[in-house]
């Protein structure tokens, strides 16, 4: 701002350290909402905001596999930044997968075309659990940390970056089933028939997750999200006994001062227990009303959500009306981050996602 | 019981009309529980109790397709009776499919090997809805009614027989998606973008269901169950607007005096609304605690449930402990029918199912 600011580049050089500062990030609407502080307008970001519904992303993916993209920091960072800028959202989320942690545990992770993840050597017995490798360090996930550093370097200085992983139960369910599941027969059978092996598996995953998430924070993520995407398959009693202690141990071991989002779907009956397990922000899916859910878990925690991802397939008027409904349920109370109730679906029209972001900003502006 | 009872056959001839009477059926534990009357022990039956987990069933299915079996009344009746007798449960459920009603509506229903049902000409637009055929009569489903008559003729005279169908939403979701679905994108898109077409489709299905279920009752079913298996994908607001009026219209048009079970999964947030829609018995899945759910919907309605089907893969001690927990939650209150929270899974050990039935009877005996 002084006489040195002669060219655009010089202006940039001077501005960057200032706007990229911790102060700007900490005062961003997203970070303020995580701490339940008042915001000028409700922050919004969308789970899977960098994904197949975007042409730019599909073009990249035509040239390489999903895992190759995750493991190429420059491109992962580019995908992360492009999505956030294109949509005008209030946070970026690092391009990665909830299951990357299984590789340093010794599992072979694959993404078959058009299918979900598969793990080729699933764990079914206590002997299988005994053979698992303790994750002493997360150096082999350096590509994630490098992607975070590169994203942080090119992302707008006041835009927070979210790191993430699958939560212990969701990671365990893939490790035991060998992929996605409808009924979680193998996972629950292990739980019910061999508690010792189950808790050993969950502890091992949890210890690895603490290292992994703290390293993401150290690399430059301002917040982290724990995705317990499939935990809604459990009863509350099973959650309390088989999941809660492990999720709590992860959430209580993360770098202090970093907000954590604790998310799941189909969790209507689990929200109080998820809250008990921890997290600064509890993710809600569309099956619960935001006002009722927030009331139930208490207003001394922030919430994230909760538009049905399928609403983005309807017209812009419909999307706006639904955004309005959710904002009305949040009632302007500090501590609401707008999001979908689950990730953006592959066929979603990009213009509808942008329309949602604009509607949320406009309708919530003080 | 008189001098004519010389041979086994004669005894059978004399006994049958007596034990097969309406009185015996009406006084059975299952029927009493539907009406919330006291019972000597908690009645139990299991959804999909005749199915792939049974060797006898697999042997039959090796010789014919699922639909062929449904459409061969003698065999469908045999499968129905065999399962009920083998397990020692308190009700039989007619061997059929929740989607049979779509055939008289003009859809081509198929069950590909190892996959779920597919409908080859799915409905996606209002034009598609306009082309649908009103189901003037359900004569083409005569094979179901004949199976019910044949089952009734050979089933133990005091054992009630349950008829059933998919509920309007679940049937509509298959008709619109063309098969099973994870996200119900087409179904919800039709709802959100063309309310008129959606309600026309739901009304058409509902009118057909009333005819179909009443004909099952006329043929000899003592109770009917409406399976809204996938309704848990909806928010409460969507359920209220797009589903409740139709389900209510079906439930209020069924033959008076016949108990109706209204069932869904993932319905934790919908239970009050499902209750509002109707039914004498509300089905609960394992995600809700039976005591809390019953409290929420009110003790002036009966409940059915709610063991996790995966519990049947664990040992008999575990199964017994879980049965005990659920019975304790029911607290001996009249109006509890024991069941799983969803259908028996294909790999379930038969002996564990029998162990569950015995445990429920024994633990609940007054």
């Amino acid at each position: 701002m002084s006489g040195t600011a002669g060219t655009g580049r010089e202006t940039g050089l001077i501005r960057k350290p200032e706007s990229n500062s911790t102060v700007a990030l900490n005062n961003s609407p997203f970070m303020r909402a995580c701490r339940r502080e008042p915001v000028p307008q409700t922050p919004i970001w969308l789970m899977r905001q960098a994904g197949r519904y975007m042409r730019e992303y599909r073009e990249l993916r035509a040239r390489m596999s999903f895992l190759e993209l995750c493991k190429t920091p420059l491109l992962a960072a580019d995908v992360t930044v492009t999505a956030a800028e294109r949509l005008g959202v209030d946070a970026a989320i690092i391009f990665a997968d909830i299951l990357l942690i299984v590789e340093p545990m010794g599992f072979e992770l694959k993404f078959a075309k058009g299918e979900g993840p598969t793990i080729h050597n699933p764990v079914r017995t206590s002997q299988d659990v005994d053979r698992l490798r303790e994750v002493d360090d997360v150096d082999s996930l350096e590509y994630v940390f490098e992607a975070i550093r590169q994203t942080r370097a090119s992302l707008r200085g006041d835009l927070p970056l979210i790191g993430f992983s699958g939560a212990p139960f969701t990671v365990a369910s893939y490790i035991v089933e060998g992929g996605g599941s409808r009924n979680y027969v193998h996972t629950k059978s292990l739980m019910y028939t061999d508690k010792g092996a189950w808790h050993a598996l969950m502890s091992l995953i949890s210890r690895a997750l603490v290292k992994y998430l703290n390293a993401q924070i150290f690399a430059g993520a301002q917040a982290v999200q724990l995705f317990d995407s499939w935990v809604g398959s459990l009863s509350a009693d099973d959650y309390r006994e088989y999941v809660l202690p492990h999720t709590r141990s992860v959430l209580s071991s993360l770098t202090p001062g970093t907000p954590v989002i604790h998310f799941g779907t189909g969790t209507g009956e689990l929200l109080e227990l998820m809250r008990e397990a921890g997290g600064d922000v509890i993710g809600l899916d569309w099956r619960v009303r935001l006002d009722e859910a927030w009331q139930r878990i208490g207003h001394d925690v922030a919430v994230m959500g909760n538009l049905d991802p399928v609403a983005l397939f309807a017209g812009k008027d419909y999307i706006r009306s639904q955004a309005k409904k959710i904002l009305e349920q949040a009632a302007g109370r500090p501590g609401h981050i707008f999001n979908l109730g689950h990730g953006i679906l592959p066929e979603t029209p990009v213009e509808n996602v942008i329309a949602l972001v604009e509607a949320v900003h406009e309708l919530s502006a003080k």
Side-chain angles (χ1 to χ4, degrees), chain A:
Chain A
M1 316 287 176
S2 73
T4 63
T7 67
R9 177 164 168 76
E10 280 162 336
T11 308
L13 279 174
I14 291 165
R15 268 224 318 273
K16 198 155 191 179
E18 196 185 309
S19 64
N20 202 2
S21 69
T22 309
V23 175
L25 282 170
N26 269 340
N27 277 327
S28 65
F30 170 82
M31 294 296 279
R32 291 182 64 87
C34 288
R35 298 188 303 261
R36 290 176 293 112
E37 294 168 4
V39 286
Q41 54 189 18
T42 301
I44 173 173
W45 68 280
L46 290 318
M47 287 180 275
R48 221 182 289 152
Q49 65 192 16
R52 263 184 290 168
Y53 77 105
M54 274 195 173
R55 187 179 46 75
E56 299 89 327
Y57 175 82
R58 288 194 302 272
E59 285 171 5
L60 250 182
R61 280 296 311 286
R63 301 185 344 238
M64 67 183 70
S65 75
F66 174 72
L67 268 186
E68 281 168 341
L69 182 47
C70 289
K71 295 182 179 182
T72 311
L74 189 68
L75 294 178
D78 186 54
V79 163
T80 303
V81 174
T82 302
E85 289 181 347
R86 172 101 193 265
L87 301 177
V89 288
D90 297 279
I93 181 161
I94 191 66
F95 185 81
D97 188 77
I98 58 168
L99 294 181
L100 297 177
I101 191 66
V102 307
E103 291 195 323
M105 290 177 69
F107 292 99
E108 195 189 336
L109 177 65
K110 286 201 172 156
F111 290 81
K113 205 174 163 69
E115 284 171 44
T118 54
I119 288 173
H120 287 267
N121 39 354
V123 160
R124 296 279 163 85
T125 65
S126 62
Q127 289 87 331
D128 293 341
V129 174
D130 289 343
R131 274 195 296 270
L132 288 181
R133 190 192 300 168
E134 179 74 26
V135 179
D136 293 320
D137 64 64
V138 286
D139 294 354
S140 64
L141 293 164
E142 175 57 28
Y143 61 89
V144 176
F145 314 134
E146 179 59 21
I148 288 175
R149 283 190 294 269
Q150 295 201 16
T151 301
R152 198 56 279 168
S154 59
L155 194 62
R156 217 178 67 210
D158 60 349
L159 212 55
L161 174 61
I162 304 168
F164 72 95
S165 176
F169 173 78
T170 293
V171 171
S173 80
Y174 280 103
I175 286 178
V176 178
E177 301 292 336
S181 180
R182 192 176 184 93
N183 298 307
Y184 302 94
V185 171
H186 298 296
T187 310
K188 291 180 180 178
S189 292
L190 183 64
M191 258 183 200
Y192 298 153
T193 59
D194 195 338
K195 265 189 214 200
W198 173 260
H199 285 299
L201 172 64
M202 289 287 278
S203 301
L204 188 86
I205 295 170
S206 299
R207 290 191 296 273
L209 286 176
V210 169
K211 292 183 179 123
Y212 179 41
L213 290 165
N214 279 334
Q216 291 187 49
I217 294 167
F218 186 75
Q222 279 65 52
V224 291
Q225 176 159 331
L226 209 53
F227 282 83
D228 217 350
S229 310
W230 309 132
V231 78
S233 59
L234 295 178
S235 71
D237 286 345
D238 284 352
Y239 182 87
R240 188 184 290 107
E241 178 166 359
Y242 300 108
V243 178
L244 195 152
H246 303 286
T247 301
R248 176 151 51 196
S249 89
V250 173
L251 292 173
S252 64
S253 308
L254 299 181
T255 313
T258 308
V260 184
I261 306 167
H262 186 187
F263 166 79
T265 67
T267 52
E269 305 302 306
L270 301 180
L271 289 172
E272 290 87 347
L273 293 173
M274 286 177 67
R275 204 278 147 102
E276 199 181 318
D280 303 278
V281 185
I282 303 294
L284 307 173
D285 83 1
W286 64 93
R287 293 175 182 90
V288 294
R289 274 181 65 100
L290 188 135
D291 49 359
E292 290 174 8
W294 207 351
Q295 177 77 40
R296 274 169 50 202
I297 59 175
H299 292 124
D300 53 343
V301 68
V303 292
M304 183 178 86
N306 67 342
L307 183 66
D308 189 331
V310 183
L312 292 174
F313 288 79
K316 290 179 186 165
D317 287 348
Y318 180 81
I319 292 169
R320 193 180 170 88
S321 74
Q322 296 304 299
K324 186 159 180 282
K325 203 155 95 174
I326 290 168
L327 289 167
E328 281 168 1
Q329 289 178 33
R333 195 186 297 275
H336 175 220
I337 297 162
F338 203 107
N339 207 318
L340 304 178
H342 206 170
I344 296 181
L345 294 164
E347 313 293 331
T348 305
V350 177
E351 62 272 22
N352 287 0
V353 182
I354 294 170
L356 170 66
V357 173
E358 289 172 354
V360 168
H361 283 158
E362 196 188 313
L363 293 166
S364 67
K366 300 288 187 302

